[in-house]
Amino acid sequence: MKKLLAALVGTMALATAPVALSAEATKELKMAYDADPVTLDIHEQLSGGILQLSHMSFDPLVRWTKDLGFEGRLAESWERVDDKTMRFKLREGVKFHSGNEFTAKDVKFTYDRLKESQDFKAIFQPFSGINVIDDYTFELVTSEPFPLLLNTATYIFPLDSQFYSGETADGKKKSAIVKHGNSFASDNLSGTGPFVVKSRQQGVRMEFERFADYWDEESPGNVKKIVLTPIKENNTRVSALLSGGVDFIAPVPPTDLDRIKRDKNSELVTMSGTRIIMFHMNQERVEAFKNPKVRQAIAYAINQEGIAAKIMKGFATPAAQLSPAGYQGHNESLKPRYDVKKAQELMKEAGYEDGFTITMMAPNNRYVNDDKIAQAAAAMLARINIKVDLKTLPKAQYWPEFDNRSGDMMLIGWHADTEDSANFYEFLTFCPEAGSGAGQYNAGNYCNPEIDALVAKANVETDVEKRTAMLQEVEKRLYDDAAFVPLHWQDLAWASKKNVKIEPILNVMNFPYLGDLVVE
Amino acid sequence: MLAFLVQRISQAVLVMFVISVIAFAIQDGLGDPLQEMVGMSVSMEEREALREELGLNDSMVVQYLRFAGKALQGDLGNSYFYGKPTLEVIAEHLPATLELVIGASLIIMFLSVPIGVYAAIRPQAWLAKFFMGVSTVGISIPVFLTAIVLIQIYSIGITIEWFPEDTGWGQWLNGALTTEGGLPSYGRGDELTHLFGTWYSGFFSTDGLMHLVLPCVSLASIMLPLFIRLIRAEMMEVLQSDYIRYARAKGLSAVRINFLHALKNTMLPVITVGGVQVGVMVAYTILTETVFQWPGVGLMFLEAITRSDIPLIVAYLMVVGLIFVITNTLVDLVYGLVNPTVKLTGKKA
């Protein structure tokens, strides 16, 4: 009798849940981003657009909360077994869009595929294996103690292994990751996420519908249908919101922030971002940059606060280091050090009172106001007698120049994929080494093996406090050495109609959790 | 006729060849397509492997020969971004552009002929002077500005409070100048009718037509003044000619003279210019489509450039070249029909 009752309650819960959900989720959301996802294969490319799609149609094991903590999604709980092993317990009763049951074998399938993905394999390089213990338990094993295991687990969006296995009618493997050209996975999708892809016309529109069997019944989200239109032109995107054509847009260009604030039907949400904009000073090309005093002089000559206020119209947070607030390496004591007098003195001490001429390069359509920032920096350097020959290029042409290190000072923006300070150092300040890929974007050729060693040590330190201290020291030493010129962290902005409550679902990573979106 | 077509086809082949060579020659200046295909943190080796796979490391001549060999079999390669054959991508985007051009052409035809004729028959009338004045302004405003102003007025709406609210006339003026907005400002809308193949049309639903209004008006705004002035000038010239004077002397009705005899001869140069302008209009759609996020080939081309999607750029240029050749050929044929004295091949009959 007890059993029967339990079964009865169980079936009732099952039967009522979807009904309650479909009664709730009735709203339609029209939204416009600057681009649509390049592909439906979330392992084909690591980009903001793909991660946004991942959070719509898939669920990660764990995800970031607003304050950069973690919350379990498909993983219900996790615990460290030893230095190198973390055991995860999975949520039960989760279904894929195809109807298949979600189990640990799907996680293994996804893990193996990530290890093969050109774009993701670097992130998963510290992992040595995955042990499936039973249907709902598995362990991730790293070769060294790895403090960023959970950060990396936010990138594991389990794929439906059954759906992506086997061959297509024309004999191609369904699991293949193809960068260009068509593959099964780039056109078909089955995840556990809140939204099923209904139709997709690349570059034109994409339609999503709420997944009727979505596991997260506690989600307050009530959006039934999403129509995503990519609108590249800033002005058109803003007009689409103001004219009521769409309900939600991102990004909002800084020039239109006031226009949206003034509009009584729209709401604007801004946040300080985590993408650092900075200049490298190439020591290989310019002898003077080898002298720390010259580098410091440049650091003193650039007015970060001025750039953030005047050029970015307050839409940026002035930076004196790489790590934004909230990251372990963020060192509160480091402040922008604008002081022209001091800069001139340093130039004199270094023996370059009369200055010299350098070339500077920057993209003109990659970051917000990138070309204007470079112009301002060039003008600021003129005050310490450094004559700048500036060249700005469209991004498609800029990056090949960057790879060739064609300019003496080059602008770059960087966002840490792991949301961790070490990622900045590894790519931007490590001694460049072609084989390992260290310092791949270090266009300054700055090299300090001591700092690199310290970062390497922090990378195997699982004690948060110790690790934080190490990374903050790295940041301080880079600052003292003026290894580069940090400018600011670019802010983020979204806008919506008043009845679309976007604020709670937004975060600094710029993956809106649309599954939880409430529309009134 | 046959000789004419053969001549035109051989010209077309030559044009295609030249375009493809030029498009290939400039690709180095367009940047690295890999940047859009891989994430920032992908290592140099991975990039090199992908570059090798795409054949980007081969010399320009080898790449061109490979492309030309396939092109002769009708395969213009795969778009990097869409991952599909470029011709398929263009076929998907072309209907949107054609509808835009058709819509704009209709507006131009139905407005330019009556206005042009009227301005020619009554050059001194204030209304004619007004039209001419407006057309001068119209021709000198760039299309994206027209588009932005149209969007602000007709889709977002403006509130005017310049005049005193407490007076009757002020209230009336404020009310008259304030607009509600409401017209769609982007895209083609949800209700498209499938005609055939890749052609989904917006002409058969209210929603689709509403979406067409602003883009078509913007696009038409550049060409309309040109055609009004052209028709007016041609018509005035024709009205001075001997056979019109004779017709007047003969006592034919003004309507018959103006709309049958004069208009027919006025239209000859207009057709020639029109044919060329249709090609130019395809080029202007790039701007219009960008402002209205109109999913046609213009927008597609602009995005292909920012992504260095070289196969798509080359294919687009070749298709547009082909469209120019075809429209010019058609114009010449129509010209022959309207004016039988014209010999197509330029030889004595």
Side-chain angles (χ1 to χ4, degrees):
Chain A
M1 186 63 202
K2 234 184 197 169
K3 252 188 191 166
L4 190 72
L5 202 67
L8 203 67
V9 171
T11 47
M12 265 172 68
L14 270 179
T16 50
V19 175
L21 193 75
S22 55
E24 256 182 15
T26 49
K27 305 290 185 181
E28 185 180 329
L29 180 77
K30 285 189 177 169
M31 58 185 217
Y33 281 156
D34 56 344
D36 57 340
V38 187
T39 166
L40 292 186
D41 184 350
I42 57 168
H43 295 162
E44 193 180 314
Q45 190 166 13
L46 174 52
S47 67
I50 293 294
L51 289 169
Q52 282 157 0
L53 171 70
S54 303
H55 279 283
M56 289 173 80
S57 293
F58 295 84
D59 282 301
L61 291 177
V62 296
R63 77 178 181 191
W64 295 100
T65 56
K66 256 182 130 76
D67 51 358
L68 291 181
F70 298 102
E71 74 181 312
R73 293 301 284 170
L74 293 182
E76 221 163 25
S77 62
W78 51 92
E79 53 172 346
R80 262 195 193 282
V81 180
D82 59 50
D83 259 13
K84 301 177 185 171
T85 316
M86 183 88 93
R87 178 175 294 172
F88 290 87
K89 193 101 189 90
L90 291 175
R91 201 173 287 281
E92 293 183 28
V94 175
K95 279 211 162 64
F96 284 108
H97 298 166
S98 64
N100 295 334
E101 198 82 27
F102 162 69
T103 63
K105 71 172 191 309
D106 299 303
V107 180
K108 179 168 169 30
F109 173 82
T110 307
Y111 170 86
D112 291 340
R113 201 162 181 267
L114 282 164
K115 277 283 210 184
E116 271 172 34
S117 159
Q118 281 175 325
D119 278 44
F120 285 89
K121 66 161 74 147
I123 295 179
F124 285 87
Q125 191 267 329
F127 289 86
S128 59
I130 179 169
N131 302 325
V132 175
I133 292 170
D134 62 43
D135 268 3
Y136 298 101
T137 320
F138 72 96
E139 289 173 351
L140 281 176
V141 189
T142 56
S143 41
E144 299 287 330
F146 185 42
L148 304 179
L149 201 141
L150 283 181
N151 301 37
T152 316
T154 61
Y155 282 103
I156 305 180
F157 294 86
L159 263 56
D160 186 343
S161 61
Q162 220 176 315
F163 182 80
Y164 290 99
S165 296
E167 287 185 353
T168 57
D170 50 354
K172 287 186 196 140
K173 269 177 76 178
K174 286 187 180 173
S175 62
I177 303 174
V178 183
K179 270 275 182 203
H180 50 94
N182 264 351
S183 65
F184 175 80
S186 66
D187 275 335
N188 297 280
L189 180 157
S190 171
T192 59
F195 294 102
V196 183
V197 177
K198 273 284 160 206
S199 72
R200 168 168 178 256
Q201 206 190 338
Q202 198 172 355
V204 180
R205 68 192 259 131
M206 213 168 157
E207 265 174 52
F208 296 89
E209 206 168 87
R210 199 173 186 90
F211 179 35
D213 291 331
Y214 188 49
W215 60 269
D216 190 357
E217 283 156 15
E218 278 156 32
S219 163
N222 66 353
V223 175
K224 180 146 174 59
K225 191 181 166 196
I226 294 182
V227 179
L228 165 65
T229 311
I231 303 185
K232 195 154 191 100
E233 193 63 26
N234 283 332
N235 238 316
T236 312
R237 196 161 59 247
V238 173
S239 301
L241 177 73
L242 295 179
S243 67
V246 294
D247 308 310
F248 171 39
I249 61 167
V252 181
T255 42
D256 284 314
L257 295 173
D258 285 337
R259 202 166 153 214
I260 290 178
K261 263 187 229 157
R262 273 203 312 271
D263 185 63
K264 56 184 186 300
N265 300 320
S266 307
E267 190 162 312
L268 179 74
V269 179
T270 57
M271 240 179 242
S272 177
T274 56
R275 185 191 292 280
I276 183 79
I277 307 292
M278 54 105 77
F279 276 113
H280 275 121
M281 295 167 277
N282 197 325
Q283 305 183 14
E284 202 149 84
R285 294 174 57 98
V286 181
E287 192 57 34
F289 287 163
K290 287 209 170 93
N291 187 337
K293 290 213 165 115
V294 173
R295 298 201 301 267
Q296 282 158 0
I298 292 177
Y300 277 105
I302 302 271
N303 180 0
Q304 283 97 336
E305 270 150 5
I307 290 177
K310 291 274 160 13
I311 294 173
M312 301 296 289
K313 311 243 183 283
F315 191 63
T317 312
Q321 57 187 320
L322 294 172
S323 310
Y327 278 31
Q328 286 178 0
H330 183 73
N331 192 331
E332 271 302 323
S333 67
L334 306 178
K335 298 275 181 243
R337 43 183 156 176
Y338 173 55
D339 184 345
V340 180
K341 274 243 161 56
K342 175 100 189 185
Q344 284 162 342
E345 267 165 40
L346 281 163
M347 285 294 274
K348 201 168 173 182
E349 278 173 41
Y352 288 102
E353 203 183 352
D354 300 331
F356 46 86
T357 304
I358 58 163
T359 60
M360 179 188 276
M361 282 181 143
N364 57 23
N365 60 355
R366 176 63 188 86
Y367 311 109
V368 178
N369 292 334
D370 36 16
D371 50 341
K372 295 192 191 82
I373 294 167
Q375 283 161 15
M380 287 167 185
L381 291 181
R383 286 198 267 171
I384 56 169
N385 292 329
I386 297 180
K387 215 176 143 258
V388 175
D389 189 0
L390 173 68
K391 189 172 174 189
T392 62
L393 298 161
K395 60 181 173 182
Q397 287 145 52
Y398 180 69
W399 293 117
E401 298 286 353
F402 190 93
D403 287 342
N404 292 333
R405 311 286 189 255
S406 317
D408 299 337
M409 279 182 80
M410 302 196 91
L411 183 110
I412 184 172
W414 194 262
H415 165 250
D417 288 332
T418 48
E419 305 296 334
D420 179 75
S421 302
N423 181 279
F424 286 120
Y425 315 134
E426 285 157 11
F427 281 99
L428 300 173
T429 70
F430 262 35
C431 301
E433 195 192 319
S436 66
Q440 193 180 334
Y441 288 89
N442 181 355
N445 231 42
Y446 172 83
C447 179
N448 187 338
E450 272 176 46
I451 293 181
D452 294 5
L454 192 56
V455 176
K457 221 172 110 197
N459 274 348
V460 293
E461 179 56 68
T462 46
D463 184 317
V464 173
E465 225 163 279
K466 281 191 202 158
R467 186 165 189 273
T468 305
M470 287 178 193
L471 292 174
Q472 293 194 358
E473 194 195 326
V474 170
E475 206 67 80
K476 172 91 172 87
R477 292 178 70 166
L478 289 170
Y479 177 87
D480 292 342
D481 221 6
F484 51 86
V485 188
L487 296 172
H488 52 250
W489 296 287
Q490 209 171 282
D491 283 359
L492 299 165
W494 304 262
S496 70
K497 282 187 191 161
K498 275 261 156 61
N499 63 329
V500 180
K501 301 294 170 200
I502 50 171
E503 210 277 330
I505 63 148
L506 298 174
N507 49 52
V508 74
M509 276 76 58
N510 197 6
F511 326 135
Y513 296 145
L514 291 164
D516 298 337
L517 178 66
V518 177
V519 179
E520 279 170 1
Chain B
M1 180 74 183
L2 192 68
F4 170 72
L5 283 180
V6 169
Q7 189 193 340
R8 271 309 162 94
I9 289 169
S10 55
Q11 277 174 8
V13 171
L14 188 70
V15 169
M16 298 285 103
F17 172 70
V18 172
I19 289 177
S20 69
V21 170
I22 293 175
F24 247 79
I26 58 168
Q27 63 166 281
D28 250 7
L30 288 174
D32 183 3
L34 249 68
Q35 290 300 337
E36 286 291 323
M37 294 165 74
V38 297
M40 288 285 272
S41 53
V42 172
S43 71
M44 286 294 169
E45 282 104 82
E46 297 280 351
R47 282 166 200 251
E48 206 43 50
L50 186 59
R51 199 164 277 145
E52 192 65 46
E53 200 183 314
L54 290 171
L56 293 171
N57 285 337
D58 299 333
S59 74
M60 198 67 80
V61 178
V62 174
Q63 287 193 46
Y64 183 76
L65 289 179
R66 190 168 48 218
F67 165 79
K70 281 189 184 164
L72 286 177
Q73 296 159 27
D75 175 10
L76 290 184
N78 270 9
S79 155
Y80 296 148
F81 175 69
Y82 291 93
K84 283 194 282 197
T86 48
L87 287 179
E88 209 175 291
V89 175
I90 293 173
E92 275 168 18
H93 288 84
L94 199 56
T97 298
L98 291 181
E99 292 206 340
L100 188 59
V101 172
I102 292 171
S105 305
L106 287 176
I107 294 177
I108 292 172
M109 273 201 286
F110 284 112
L111 288 181
S112 68
V113 175
I115 294 176
V117 170
Y118 172 75
I121 300 172
R122 303 248 181 287
Q124 296 305 322
W126 67 267
L127 193 59
K129 285 184 176 161
F130 168 77
F131 279 132
M132 298 323 286
V134 169
S135 76
T136 316
V137 177
I139 213 165
S140 44
I141 296 180
V143 62
F144 60 88
L145 190 63
T146 318
I148 290 172
V149 170
L150 285 176
I151 290 178
Q152 183 66 46
I153 297 177
Y154 294 107
S155 59
I156 300 175
I158 45 173
T159 318
I160 298 288
E161 287 156 356
W162 298 337
F163 305 102
E165 268 301 318
D166 44 6
T167 57
W169 61 271
Q171 216 171 4
W172 182 82
L173 271 176
N174 281 339
L177 289 174
T178 297
T179 56
E180 283 265 313
L183 273 179
S185 68
Y186 75 96
R188 302 181 70 195
D190 297 338
E191 295 167 29
L192 296 179
T193 319
H194 185 211
L195 294 186
F196 57 86
T198 57
W199 195 307
Y200 289 84
S201 174
F203 278 119
F204 301 96
S205 67
T206 331
D207 182 57
L209 286 172
M210 295 293 265
H211 279 83
L212 271 162
V213 174
L214 291 185
C216 287
V217 170
S218 305
L219 186 59
S221 73
I222 341 161
M223 296 290 170
L224 188 57
L226 176 75
F227 278 92
I228 293 179
R229 300 190 145 247
L230 183 71
I231 291 172
R232 173 178 173 271
E234 289 296 330
M235 184 91 173
M236 284 174 98
E237 203 181 307
V238 172
L239 288 178
Q240 300 299 317
S241 58
D242 290 342
Y243 78 96
I244 299 290
R245 289 168 190 233
Y246 178 69
R248 286 214 184 99
K250 204 179 157 196
L252 291 182
S253 75
V255 175
R256 202 174 155 80
I257 295 173
N258 289 335
F259 290 96
L260 189 75
H261 298 297
L263 188 60
K264 210 171 169 185
N265 278 311
T266 304
M267 289 322 277
L268 276 180
V270 176
I271 291 171
T272 323
V273 176
V276 177
Q277 294 301 324
V278 166
V280 176
M281 204 131 81
V282 171
Y284 268 111
T285 58
I286 294 182
L287 282 176
T288 316
E289 287 180 7
T290 311
V291 181
F292 289 101
Q293 189 65 28
W294 191 261
V297 283
L299 186 63
M300 180 206 78
F301 177 61
L302 205 70
E303 294 194 343
I305 288 179
T306 60
R307 292 190 190 103
S308 307
D309 193 342
I310 293 156
L312 192 55
I313 295 172
V314 175
Y316 170 83
L317 291 176
M318 292 182 71
V319 168
V320 168
L322 190 68
I323 291 177
F324 264 87
V325 173
I326 292 175
T327 47
N328 283 347
T329 309
L330 285 179
V331 165
D332 287 349
L333 288 175
V334 172
Y335 208 83
L337 291 180
V338 178
N339 184 352
T341 61
V342 174
K343 292 292 169 285
L344 288 175
T345 38
K347 282 186 212 130
K348 279 185 184 157

